[in-house]
Amino acid sequence: MKPILLKGHERSITVVKFNFDGDLIFTGSKDHIPSVWRSETGERVGTFNGHKGTIWDIDVDRFSKRVLTASADAFVKLWDCETGECLKSFTHHGPARGAAWADGAEMFATISDPFVEHNAQISIYDVPINEDPSDYSEIPRLEIELPKIDGKRVNATNIVWLNLNEALFVTFDNGSIRLYDPTTGEELDEFYPHEKKINRVSFNQDKTLFITSSADFTSKLYDVVDLRHLKTYKTGSPVNDAVISETKDHILLGGGQEAMSVTTTSGKAGKFETRFFHLVYEEEFGTVKGHFGPINALAIDPKGRCYASGAEDGYIRLHHFDKSYLDMKDPVPEGPVDGEEDETDDEEKDEQDSDEESE
């Protein structure tokens, strides 16, 4: 599985995402310039120029028409995916930490960090497809304040819309997850899957499962419908990102020792590799090395052909899976297919027949 090295960013990678069809990869880093690449060849197709701060999040709509970027320069920008033109900029009170399209791509939600006297915020903007972008309002339709808890600021780390735009799913740096009503802003639910910061959350394409990545060295799989905890994947270092394979019962985890300690550690000891776990059995069955710093972002092709990892070393490594991996069957006991008899039953019958004959 020889990787294609995507060299285009000058600083640490912060986010890597595939579009819905899996033919494009969107990446962001601390060099202020989001980029888009072809997943088949690793060729850079273009860049989105205009931000003046770290790109913390990117989201592309279902048909790869429009792209959102959230940046530390306190702007969320809306781009035309084909031309790279900035259609509209939305100002926030503090650094923008995340942006997410709603189903239908007629509105989006953002999260921003606290700044001076302003609290952290969730904002929802209307951006109808059939309207001229210059007519879009820069004032959010809804703002949800995230006040301090016991005098401490709590920052949101990720935001996602649940199916049918029923709720906003927000993770926080105190290990909690909250659900908000996107119409009223009311808090619907809160629970604590982790003791430390949730770095990233990823959903499968149907949004029936989600997996969290935390600084407490664990990643946890949950059912979206009833928020039931299903599995825990343990590592020996902070987990910065985790993704669910769409085609196999596998989980990919990325992370490693914190970036500020990297210079004192060899690559081997720092655990800067992508780790493969079995989704059901929680067992690690493989690793892919190559990065020289902690992996900050992971993404897997929705069709299961390849995956990309972005790290503190400024490189994105695009791995196309070998045929041996794609054809690999997991060691799972399989029941008889409809219309077939179970072989063990046949063997038992043969043994009984031979015993009767010998008598």
Side-chain angles (χ1 to χ4, degrees):
M1 193 162 66
K2 191 178 178 184
I4 300 172
L5 234 58
L6 309 189
K7 304 174 189 174
H9 291 291
E10 296 174 358
R11 295 187 61 197
S12 311
I13 309 301
T14 53
V15 58
V16 177
K17 280 191 180 175
F18 280 87
N19 65 342
F20 189 88
D21 297 318
D23 60 333
L24 296 175
I25 302 171
F26 293 82
T27 61
S29 82
K30 293 182 179 177
D31 67 5
H32 315 168
I33 303 171
S35 299
V36 58
W37 318 72
R38 289 195 195 284
S39 64
E40 193 67 37
T41 60
E43 172 197 357
R44 180 147 78 165
V45 181
T47 57
F48 302 98
N49 299 303
H51 279 296
K52 295 179 180 175
T54 296
I55 308 301
W56 287 123
D57 199 13
I58 297 175
D59 200 21
V60 57
D61 68 9
R62 166 69 178 79
F63 297 105
S64 304
K65 297 282 190 190
R66 300 189 293 176
V67 180
L68 291 168
T69 54
S71 171
D73 62 8
F75 282 102
V76 169
K77 289 183 183 285
L78 175 65
W79 309 84
D80 183 303
C81 186
E82 189 177 348
T83 65
E85 177 194 356
C86 181
L87 302 175
K88 191 81 173 177
S89 295
F90 301 87
T91 314
H92 291 65
H93 295 307
R97 186 64 61 170
W101 283 110
D103 284 354
E106 294 274 327
M107 56 183 172
F108 67 88
T110 66
I111 47 175
S112 55
D113 288 349
F115 188 72
V116 195
E117 74 273 9
H118 296 287
N119 283 328
Q121 263 185 352
I122 300 169
S123 309
I124 298 176
Y125 296 86
D126 287 319
V127 285
I129 297 169
N130 53 9
E131 232 178 74
D132 191 304
S134 60
D135 295 334
Y136 293 157
S137 172
E138 288 183 33
I139 300 165
R141 170 168 60 80
L142 178 68
E143 284 186 329
I144 305 169
E145 290 271 332
L146 303 172
K148 295 177 183 177
I149 298 176
D150 300 328
K152 288 184 180 177
R153 284 180 164 172
V154 178
N155 295 348
T157 54
N158 299 271
I159 186 163
V160 181
W161 292 80
L162 295 188
N163 279 328
L164 304 174
N165 302 331
E166 287 180 347
L168 282 169
F169 180 101
V170 187
T171 64
F172 290 87
D173 62 0
N174 64 349
S176 69
I177 293 176
R178 296 182 202 163
L179 300 183
Y180 290 92
D181 186 309
T183 308
T184 63
E186 177 191 356
E187 186 180 316
L188 304 174
D189 201 353
E190 182 182 30
F191 61 106
Y192 282 79
H194 294 280
E195 296 171 4
K196 292 186 179 178
K197 177 183 178 181
I198 298 176
N199 291 317
R200 193 86 68 175
V201 66
S202 296
F203 286 70
N204 63 346
Q205 206 160 36
D206 296 335
K207 288 190 178 174
T208 53
L209 297 171
F210 70 86
I211 188 165
T212 58
S213 316
S214 173
D216 65 7
F217 297 9
T218 64
S219 193
K220 294 185 179 181
L221 186 72
Y222 278 81
D223 184 304
V224 172
V225 177
D226 53 12
L227 302 178
R228 184 164 44 96
H229 175 227
L230 303 174
K231 301 289 175 183
T232 301
Y233 311 95
K234 296 177 182 175
T235 69
S237 57
V239 185
N240 293 335
D241 206 350
V243 288
I244 303 166
S245 172
E246 292 291 333
T247 53
K248 289 182 174 288
D249 289 333
H250 294 169
I251 301 289
L252 278 65
L253 265 63
Q257 186 186 30
E258 290 182 25
M260 61 183 180
S261 323
V262 166
T263 51
T264 61
T265 313
S266 69
K268 192 173 180 183
K271 301 188 172 74
F272 311 139
E273 62 242 358
T274 304
R275 311 169 80 143
F276 285 69
F277 282 79
H278 195 283
L279 184 144
V280 178
Y281 302 127
E282 305 174 346
E283 293 171 355
E284 183 179 339
F285 66 87
T287 59
V288 177
K289 297 180 170 65
H291 284 293
F292 295 99
I295 293 172
N296 295 331
L298 272 179
I300 190 164
D301 168 29
K303 295 183 174 66
R305 298 166 302 191
C306 58
Y307 83 92
S309 57
E312 198 71 22
D313 58 14
Y315 288 112
I316 297 121
R317 297 174 76 87
L318 174 61
H319 296 262
H320 286 88
F321 292 120
D322 292 336
K323 190 173 185 298
S324 57
Y325 173 82
L326 297 172
D327 295 343
M328 179 179 82
K329 287 196 169 115
D330 291 319
V332 180
E334 297 180 1
V337 182
D338 292 343
E340 287 184 5
E341 289 188 10
D342 196 333
E343 288 178 9
T344 52
D345 292 346
D346 292 342
E347 287 171 9
E348 284 173 9
K349 283 177 190 171
D350 292 342
E351 285 175 12
Q352 286 172 359
D353 292 342
S354 61
D355 288 344
E356 286 170 6
E357 285 171 9
S358 59
E359 286 173 3

